[in-house]
Coordinates of all heavy atoms in Angstrom, one line a residue:
M498 N 0.9 -1.2 0.0 CA 0.0 0.0 0.0 C 0.9 1.2 0.1 O 1.9 1.3 0.7 CB -1.0 0.0 1.2 CG -1.7 1.3 1.4 SD -2.7 1.4 2.9 CE -3.8 0.2 2.5
V499 N 0.5 2.2 -0.9 CA 1.3 3.4 -1.0 C 0.5 4.5 -0.2 O -0.7 4.6 -0.4 CB 1.6 3.8 -2.4 CG1 2.3 5.2 -2.5 CG2 2.4 2.8 -3.1
S500 N 1.1 5.2 0.6 CA 0.4 6.4 1.3 C 1.4 7.6 1.4 O 2.6 7.4 1.2 CB -0.1 5.9 2.7 OG 1.0 5.6 3.5
Y501 N 0.9 8.7 1.5 CA 1.7 9.8 1.5 C 1.3 10.6 2.8 O 0.3 10.4 3.5 CB 1.2 10.8 0.4 CG 1.6 10.1 -1.0 CD1 0.5 9.5 -1.7 CD2 2.6 10.0 -1.5 CE1 0.6 8.8 -2.9 CE2 2.9 9.3 -2.7 CZ 1.8 8.6 -3.4 OH 2.1 8.0 -4.5
F502 N 2.2 11.6 3.2 CA 2.1 12.2 4.5 C 2.4 13.7 4.4 O 3.1 14.1 3.6 CB 2.9 11.5 5.6 CG 4.3 11.5 5.3 CD1 5.2 12.5 5.6 CD2 5.0 10.5 4.5 CE1 6.5 12.7 5.2 CE2 6.4 10.6 4.1 CZ 7.2 11.6 4.5
Y503 N 1.9 14.4 5.4 CA 2.1 15.8 5.6 C 2.0 15.9 7.1 O 1.0 15.7 7.7 CB 1.1 16.6 4.9 CG 1.2 18.1 5.1 CD1 2.2 18.9 4.4 CD2 0.4 18.7 6.1 CE1 2.3 20.1 4.7 CE2 0.6 20.0 6.4 CZ 1.5 20.8 5.7 OH 1.8 22.1 5.9
Y504 N 3.1 16.4 7.7 CA 3.1 16.7 9.1 C 3.6 18.1 9.4 O 4.4 18.6 8.8 CB 4.2 15.7 9.9 CG 3.7 14.3 9.8 CD1 4.4 13.3 9.0 CD2 2.7 13.8 10.6 CE1 4.1 12.0 8.9 CE2 2.4 12.4 10.5 CZ 3.1 11.6 9.8 OH 2.7 10.3 9.7
M505 N 3.0 18.6 10.5 CA 3.4 19.9 10.9 C 3.8 19.8 12.4 O 3.0 19.1 13.2 CB 2.2 20.9 10.8 CG 2.5 22.3 11.4 SD 1.1 23.3 11.5 CE 0.5 22.8 13.1
F506 N 5.0 20.3 12.8 CA 5.4 20.1 14.2 C 5.6 21.6 14.7 O 6.1 22.4 13.9 CB 6.9 19.5 14.0 CG 6.9 18.2 13.6 CD1 7.2 17.9 12.2 CD2 6.8 17.1 14.3 CE1 7.3 16.7 11.7 CE2 6.8 15.8 13.9 CZ 7.1 15.6 12.5
D507 N 5.2 21.8 15.9 CA 5.5 23.0 16.6 C 6.6 22.6 17.5 O 6.7 21.8 18.4 CB 4.4 23.5 17.5 CG 3.5 24.3 16.6 OD1 3.9 25.0 15.7 OD2 2.2 24.4 16.9
I508 N 7.8 23.4 17.3 CA 9.1 23.2 18.0 C 9.2 24.2 19.2 O 9.3 25.4 18.7 CB 10.3 23.1 17.1 CG1 10.0 22.0 16.0 CG2 11.6 22.9 18.0 CD1 11.1 22.1 14.8
P509 N 9.1 23.8 20.4 CA 9.3 24.8 21.5 C 10.7 25.3 21.5 O 11.6 24.6 21.3 CB 9.0 24.0 22.7 CG 8.9 22.5 22.4 CD 8.9 22.4 20.8
M510 N 10.8 26.6 21.7 CA 12.0 27.4 21.7 C 12.4 27.7 23.2 O 11.4 27.8 23.9 CB 11.9 28.5 20.8 CG 11.6 28.2 19.3 SD 12.7 27.0 18.5 CE 14.1 28.1 18.3
Q511 N 13.6 27.9 23.4 CA 14.0 28.4 24.8 C 13.9 29.9 24.8 O 13.7 30.6 23.8 CB 15.4 27.9 25.0 CG 15.5 26.4 25.0 CD 17.0 26.0 25.3 OE1 17.9 26.8 25.1 NE2 17.2 24.6 25.6
N512 N 14.1 30.4 26.1 CA 14.2 31.8 26.3 C 12.9 32.5 25.9 O 13.0 33.7 25.4 CB 15.5 32.4 25.7 CG 16.7 31.8 26.1 OD1 16.8 31.3 27.3 ND2 17.7 31.8 25.2
E513 N 11.8 31.9 26.1 CA 10.5 32.6 25.8 C 10.3 33.1 24.4 O 9.5 34.0 24.1 CB 10.2 33.8 26.8 CG 10.2 33.3 28.3 CD 10.0 34.5 29.2 OE1 9.4 35.5 28.7 OE2 10.3 34.3 30.4
Q514 N 11.1 32.5 23.4 CA 10.8 32.8 22.0 C 9.6 32.0 21.6 O 9.3 31.0 22.1 CB 12.0 32.3 21.2 CG 13.3 33.0 21.7 CD 14.5 32.6 20.7 OE1 14.4 32.0 19.7 NE2 15.7 33.0 21.2
P515 N 8.9 32.5 20.6 CA 7.7 31.8 20.1 C 8.2 30.5 19.5 O 9.3 30.3 18.9 CB 7.2 32.7 18.9 CG 8.3 33.6 18.6 CD 9.2 33.7 19.8
N516 N 7.2 29.5 19.5 CA 7.5 28.1 18.9 C 7.8 28.3 17.4 O 7.2 29.2 16.8 CB 6.2 27.2 19.1 CG 6.0 26.7 20.5 OD1 6.9 27.0 21.3 ND2 4.9 26.1 20.7
Q517 N 8.6 27.5 16.7 CA 8.8 27.4 15.4 C 8.0 26.3 14.8 O 8.0 25.2 15.4 CB 10.3 27.3 15.2 CG 11.2 28.3 15.8 CD 10.9 29.7 14.9 OE1 11.0 29.7 13.7 NE2 10.7 30.7 15.7
T518 N 7.4 26.6 13.7 CA 6.6 25.6 13.0 C 7.5 25.0 11.8 O 8.1 25.7 11.1 CB 5.3 26.1 12.5 OG1 4.6 26.7 13.6 CG2 4.4 25.0 11.8
F519 N 7.5 23.6 11.7 CA 8.3 22.9 10.8 C 7.3 22.0 10.0 O 6.5 21.2 10.7 CB 9.4 22.1 11.5 CG 10.3 21.4 10.5 CD1 11.2 22.1 9.7 CD2 10.2 20.1 10.4 CE1 12.0 21.5 8.9 CE2 11.1 19.4 9.6 CZ 12.0 20.1 8.9
Y520 N 7.4 21.9 8.7 CA 6.6 21.1 7.9 C 7.4 20.0 7.1 O 8.4 20.4 6.5 CB 5.8 22.0 6.8 CG 5.0 23.0 7.5 CD1 5.5 24.3 7.6 CD2 3.7 22.8 7.8 CE1 4.8 25.3 8.2 CE2 2.9 23.8 8.4 CZ 3.4 25.2 8.5 OH 2.8 26.2 9.0
V521 N 6.9 18.8 7.1 CA 7.5 17.8 6.3 C 6.5 17.1 5.5 O 5.3 17.0 5.9 CB 8.4 16.8 7.0 CG1 9.6 17.4 7.6 CG2 7.6 16.0 8.0
C522 N 6.8 16.6 4.2 CA 5.8 15.9 3.4 C 6.5 14.9 2.6 O 7.7 15.0 2.4 CB 5.0 16.9 2.7 SG 5.8 17.9 1.5
S523 N 5.7 14.0 2.0 CA 6.2 13.0 1.1 C 6.8 13.6 -0.2 O 6.2 14.4 -0.8 CB 5.2 12.0 0.7 OG 4.6 11.5 1.7
K524 N 8.0 13.1 -0.6 CA 8.6 13.5 -1.8 C 7.9 13.3 -3.1 O 7.7 14.1 -3.9 CB 10.1 12.8 -1.9 CG 10.7 13.3 -3.2 CD 12.0 12.4 -3.5 CE 13.1 12.7 -2.5 NZ 14.4 12.1 -2.9
N525 N 7.3 12.1 -3.1 CA 6.4 11.8 -4.4 C 5.0 11.9 -4.2 O 4.1 11.3 -5.0 CB 6.8 10.4 -4.8 CG 8.3 10.2 -4.9 OD1 8.9 10.9 -5.5 ND2 8.8 9.0 -4.6
S526 N 4.5 12.8 -3.4 CA 3.0 12.9 -3.2 C 2.5 13.5 -4.5 O 3.0 14.4 -5.1 CB 2.8 13.9 -2.0 OG 1.4 14.3 -2.0
P527 N 1.3 13.0 -4.9 CA 0.6 13.6 -6.2 C 0.1 14.9 -6.0 O -0.2 15.5 -7.0 CB -0.4 12.5 -6.5 CG -0.8 11.9 -5.1 CD 0.5 11.9 -4.3
E528 N 0.0 15.4 -4.8 CA -0.7 16.7 -4.5 C 0.6 17.7 -4.6 O 1.7 17.4 -4.4 CB -1.2 16.8 -3.1 CG -2.5 15.9 -3.0 CD -3.1 15.8 -1.8 OE1 -2.8 16.7 -0.9 OE2 -4.0 15.0 -1.5
V529 N 0.2 19.0 -4.9 CA 1.2 20.1 -4.9 C 1.6 20.5 -3.4 O 0.8 20.4 -2.5 CB 0.4 21.4 -5.5 CG1 1.4 22.5 -5.4 CG2 0.0 21.2 -6.9
H530 N 3.0 20.5 -3.3 CA 3.5 20.7 -1.9 C 3.4 22.2 -1.5 O 3.5 23.1 -2.4 CB 4.9 20.4 -1.9 CG 5.2 18.9 -2.1 ND1 6.4 18.4 -2.7 CD2 4.5 17.8 -1.8 CE1 6.3 17.0 -2.8 NE2 5.1 16.7 -2.2
S531 N 3.2 22.4 -0.3 CA 3.3 23.8 0.2 C 4.8 24.3 0.0 O 5.6 23.5 0.1 CB 2.9 23.7 1.8 OG 3.4 24.9 2.3
V532 N 4.9 25.6 -0.2 CA 6.2 26.2 -0.2 C 7.0 26.1 1.0 O 8.2 26.1 1.0 CB 6.2 27.6 -0.7 CG1 5.6 27.7 -2.1 CG2 5.5 28.5 0.3
N533 N 6.4 25.8 2.2 CA 6.9 25.7 3.5 C 7.4 24.3 3.8 O 8.0 24.1 4.8 CB 6.0 26.1 4.6 CG 5.6 27.5 4.5 OD1 6.5 28.4 4.1 ND2 4.5 27.9 4.8
C534 N 7.0 23.3 2.8 CA 7.1 21.9 3.1 C 8.6 21.5 2.8 O 9.0 21.7 1.7 CB 6.1 21.1 2.4 SG 6.1 19.4 2.8
T535 N 9.3 20.8 3.7 CA 10.5 20.1 3.4 C 10.2 18.6 3.0 O 9.5 18.0 3.7 CB 11.3 20.1 4.6 OG1 11.6 21.4 5.0 CG2 12.6 19.3 4.4
T536 N 10.4 18.3 1.8 CA 10.2 17.0 1.2 C 11.2 16.0 1.7 O 12.4 16.2 1.7 CB 10.0 17.0 -0.3 OG1 11.2 17.4 -0.9 CG2 8.9 17.8 -0.7
I537 N 10.7 14.7 2.2 CA 11.6 13.7 2.5 C 11.1 12.4 1.9 O 10.0 12.2 1.5 CB 11.7 13.6 4.1 CG1 10.4 13.2 4.6 CG2 12.3 14.8 4.7 CD1 10.4 12.9 6.2
D538 N 12.1 11.5 1.7 CA 11.7 10.2 1.2 C 10.6 9.4 2.0 O 10.4 9.8 3.2 CB 13.0 9.2 1.1 CG 13.9 9.7 0.1 OD1 13.5 10.3 -0.9 OD2 15.1 9.4 0.4
N539 N 10.0 8.5 1.3 CA 8.9 7.7 2.0 C 9.4 7.1 3.3 O 10.6 6.7 3.5 CB 8.4 6.7 1.1 CG 7.5 7.3 0.0 OD1 7.2 8.4 0.0 ND2 7.5 6.6 -1.2
L540 N 8.5 6.9 4.3 CA 8.9 6.3 5.5 C 8.3 5.0 5.5 O 7.3 4.7 4.9 CB 8.1 7.2 6.7 CG 8.5 8.6 6.8 CD1 7.7 9.4 7.9 CD2 10.0 8.7 7.1
L541 N 9.0 4.0 6.2 CA 8.5 2.7 6.3 C 8.1 2.4 7.8 O 8.9 2.8 8.7 CB 9.7 1.7 5.9 CG 10.2 1.8 4.6 CD1 11.4 0.8 4.3 CD2 9.0 1.5 3.5
F542 N 7.0 1.9 8.0 CA 6.5 1.6 9.4 C 6.5 0.1 9.5 O 5.9 -0.6 8.7 CB 5.2 2.2 9.5 CG 5.2 3.8 9.5 CD1 4.9 4.5 8.3 CD2 5.5 4.5 10.6 CE1 4.9 5.8 8.3 CE2 5.4 5.8 10.7 CZ 5.2 6.5 9.4
W543 N 6.9 -0.3 10.7 CA 6.6 -1.6 11.2 C 5.7 -1.5 12.5 O 6.2 -0.8 13.4 CB 7.9 -2.2 11.6 CG 8.6 -2.7 10.4 CD1 8.6 -3.9 9.8 CD2 9.7 -1.9 9.7 NE1 9.4 -4.0 8.6 CE2 10.1 -2.7 8.6 CE3 10.1 -0.6 9.7 CZ2 11.0 -2.3 7.8 CZ3 11.0 -0.2 8.8 CH2 11.5 -1.1 7.9
W544 N 4.6 -2.1 12.5 CA 3.6 -2.1 13.6 C 3.9 -3.3 14.5 O 4.0 -4.3 14.1 CB 2.3 -2.0 13.2 CG 2.0 -0.8 12.3 CD1 2.0 -0.8 11.0 CD2 1.8 0.5 12.8 NE1 1.7 0.6 10.6 CE2 1.7 1.4 11.7 CE3 1.8 1.1 14.1 CZ2 1.5 2.8 11.8 CZ3 1.6 2.5 14.1 CH2 1.4 3.3 13.0
H545 N 4.1 -3.1 15.8 CA 4.3 -4.2 16.7 C 3.2 -4.0 17.9 O 2.9 -2.9 18.2 CB 5.7 -4.1 17.3 CG 6.8 -4.2 16.3 ND1 7.2 -5.4 15.8 CD2 7.6 -3.3 15.7 CE1 8.2 -5.2 14.9 NE2 8.4 -3.9 14.8
C546 N 2.9 -5.1 18.3 CA 1.9 -5.2 19.5 C 2.8 -5.3 20.8 O 3.8 -6.0 20.7 CB 1.0 -6.3 19.4 SG -0.1 -6.3 17.9
A547 N 2.3 -4.7 21.8 CA 3.0 -4.8 23.1 C 1.9 -5.2 24.1 O 0.7 -4.7 24.1 CB 3.6 -3.5 23.5
V548 N 2.2 -6.1 24.9 CA 1.2 -6.5 26.0 C 1.0 -5.6 27.1 O 1.9 -4.7 27.3 CB 1.7 -8.0 26.6 CG1 1.8 -9.0 25.5 CG2 3.0 -7.8 27.4
Q549 N -0.1 -5.6 27.8 CA -0.4 -4.8 28.9 C 0.7 -4.9 29.8 O 1.3 -5.9 30.2 CB -1.8 -5.2 29.4 CG -2.2 -4.3 30.6 CD -3.6 -4.7 31.1 OE1 -4.3 -5.4 30.4 NE2 -4.0 -4.0 32.1
G550 N 1.1 -3.8 30.4 CA 2.1 -3.7 31.4 C 3.6 -3.5 30.9 O 4.5 -3.2 31.6
T551 N 3.7 -3.5 29.6 CA 5.1 -3.2 28.9 C 5.5 -1.7 29.4 O 4.7 -0.8 29.1 CB 4.9 -3.3 27.4 OG1 4.6 -4.6 27.0 CG2 6.3 -2.9 26.7
P552 N 6.7 -1.7 29.9 CA 7.1 -0.4 30.3 C 7.7 0.5 29.2 O 8.2 0.0 28.3 CB 8.4 -0.7 31.2 CG 8.7 -2.1 30.9 CD 7.6 -2.8 30.3
V553 N 7.2 1.7 29.2 CA 7.6 2.7 28.2 C 8.4 3.9 28.9 O 7.9 4.4 30.0 CB 6.3 3.4 27.6 CG1 6.7 4.5 26.6 CG2 5.5 2.2 26.9
T554 N 9.6 4.1 28.4 CA 10.3 5.2 29.0 C 9.9 6.5 28.5 O 9.9 6.9 27.4 CB 11.9 5.0 28.6 OG1 12.3 3.7 29.0 CG2 12.7 6.0 29.3
L555 N 9.6 7.4 29.5 CA 9.2 8.8 29.3 C 10.3 9.6 29.1 O 11.5 9.4 29.4 CB 8.2 9.3 30.4 CG 7.0 8.5 30.7 CD1 6.2 9.0 31.8 CD2 6.2 8.3 29.5
E556 N 10.0 10.9 28.5 CA 11.1 11.9 28.3 C 12.0 12.3 29.6 O 13.1 12.3 29.6 CB 10.5 13.1 27.8 CG 11.5 14.3 27.5 CD 10.7 15.5 27.0 OE1 9.8 15.9 27.7 OE2 11.3 16.1 26.1
S557 N 11.2 12.1 30.7 CA 11.8 12.5 32.1 C 12.7 11.4 32.5 O 13.5 11.5 33.5 CB 10.7 12.7 33.1 OG 10.0 11.5 33.3
G558 N 12.7 10.2 31.9 CA 13.5 9.0 32.3 C 12.7 8.0 33.2 O 13.2 6.9 33.3
E559 N 11.5 8.4 33.6 CA 10.8 7.4 34.4 C 9.9 6.5 33.5 O 9.9 6.8 32.2 CB 9.7 8.2 35.3 CG 8.8 9.0 34.6 CD 7.9 9.9 35.6 OE1 7.4 9.2 36.5 OE2 7.8 11.1 35.5
T560 N 9.4 5.4 34.0 CA 8.7 4.5 33.1 C 7.2 4.5 33.5 O 6.9 4.7 34.6 CB 9.3 3.1 33.1 OG1 9.2 2.6 34.5 CG2 10.7 3.1 32.6
L561 N 6.4 4.1 32.5 CA 5.0 4.0 32.7 C 4.5 2.8 32.0 O 4.9 2.6 30.8 CB 4.3 5.2 32.2 CG 2.9 5.6 32.6 CD1 2.7 5.7 34.0 CD2 2.5 6.9 31.9
A562 N 3.5 2.1 32.5 CA 3.0 1.0 31.8 C 2.3 1.5 30.4 O 1.6 2.6 30.4 CB 1.8 0.3 32.5
I563 N 2.4 0.8 29.3 CA 2.0 1.2 28.0 C 0.5 1.6 28.0 O 0.2 2.6 27.3 CB 2.3 0.2 27.0 CG1 2.1 0.8 25.5 CG2 1.5 -1.1 27.1 CD1 2.8 0.1 24.5
E564 N -0.3 0.9 28.8 CA -1.8 1.2 28.7 C -2.1 2.6 29.4 O -3.2 3.2 29.3 CB -2.6 0.1 29.3 CG -2.5 -0.2 30.8 CD -1.3 -1.1 31.1 OE1 -0.4 -1.4 30.2 OE2 -1.2 -1.5 32.2
K565 N -1.1 3.1 30.1 CA -1.3 4.4 30.8 C -0.7 5.7 30.0 O -1.0 6.8 30.5 CB -0.7 4.4 32.2 CG -1.5 3.3 33.1 CD -0.8 3.4 34.5 CE -1.7 2.3 35.4 NZ -1.1 2.3 36.7
V566 N -0.1 5.3 29.0 CA 0.5 6.4 28.2 C -0.6 7.0 27.2 O -1.4 6.3 26.6 CB 1.7 5.8 27.2 CG1 2.3 6.9 26.3 CG2 2.8 5.3 28.1
D567 N -0.7 8.4 27.2 CA -1.7 8.9 26.4 C -0.9 10.1 25.6 O 0.2 10.3 25.7 CB -2.9 9.5 27.2 CG -2.5 10.5 28.3 OD1 -1.5 11.2 28.0 OD2 -3.3 10.5 29.3
N568 N -1.8 10.9 24.9 CA -1.2 12.0 24.1 C -0.6 13.0 24.9 O 0.2 13.9 24.2 CB -2.3 12.5 23.2 CG -2.7 11.7 22.1 OD1 -2.0 10.8 21.7 ND2 -3.9 11.7 21.5
G569 N -0.7 13.1 26.1 CA -0.1 14.1 27.0 C 1.3 13.8 27.4 O 2.1 14.6 28.0
H570 N 1.8 12.5 27.2 CA 3.0 12.2 27.5 C 4.0 12.3 26.4 O 3.6 12.2 25.2 CB 3.0 10.7 28.0 CG 2.3 10.3 29.2 ND1 1.0 9.9 29.2 CD2 2.7 10.5 30.5 CE1 0.6 9.7 30.5 NE2 1.6 10.1 31.2
R571 N 5.3 12.5 26.8 CA 6.4 12.5 25.7 C 7.3 11.4 26.1 O 7.6 11.2 27.2 CB 7.2 13.8 25.9 CG 6.3 15.1 25.6 CD 7.1 16.3 25.6 NE 8.2 16.3 24.7 CZ 8.4 17.1 23.6 NH1 7.5 18.1 23.5 NH2 9.4 17.0 22.9
V572 N 7.5 10.7 25.1 CA 8.3 9.4 25.3 C 9.5 9.6 24.6 O 9.8 10.3 23.6 CB 7.5 8.1 24.8 CG1 6.3 8.0 25.5 CG2 7.2 8.2 23.2
R573 N 10.5 8.6 25.0 CA 11.9 8.6 24.4 C 11.8 7.7 23.1 O 11.2 6.7 23.1 CB 12.9 8.1 25.3 CG 13.4 9.0 26.3 CD 14.6 8.6 27.1 NE 14.9 9.5 28.1 CZ 15.8 9.3 29.0 NH1 16.4 8.3 29.1 NH2 16.0 10.3 29.9

């Protein structure tokens, strides 16, 4: 299956500067790219299942069971 992507990232800056926005998109997308978009090669994804209780390392270094991780967490 071929799929294309477009992602927008807000990158937090230090010293109270405003966040910087960064855009990436598929190199071979059939749609016209935004002038702000950095094109990159296609990404390959491998999906794996993890059992309940699998520890996930958070950005802070602590671990949390996978079923407790949500969109508010930052992981390593």
Side-chain angles (χ1 to χ4, degrees):
M498 173 186 290
V499 176
S500 59
Y501 303 98
F502 59 89
Y503 175 81
Y504 292 108
M505 180 189 84
F506 301 92
D507 273 332
I508 303 170
M510 303 302 286
Q511 296 178 347
N512 302 326
E513 298 183 24
Q514 295 179 19
N516 289 353
Q517 296 295 308
T518 303
F519 182 73
Y520 305 89
V521 294
C522 57
S523 301
K524 180 188 284 186
N525 299 321
S526 173
E528 297 178 9
V529 176
H530 296 147
S531 164
V532 295
N533 297 325
C534 187
T535 299
T536 55
I537 62 174
D538 287 330
N539 292 337
L540 301 174
L541 300 175
F542 291 97
W543 285 269
W544 300 100
H545 299 280
C546 296
V548 298
Q549 185 174 351
T551 299
V553 174
T554 304
L555 302 179
E556 180 183 45
S557 65
E559 62 186 307
T560 60
L561 191 62
I563 194 164
E564 66 272 12
K565 294 183 179 180
V566 175
D567 61 31
N568 288 337
H570 292 100
R571 293 182 64 118
V572 300
R573 284 191 183 170

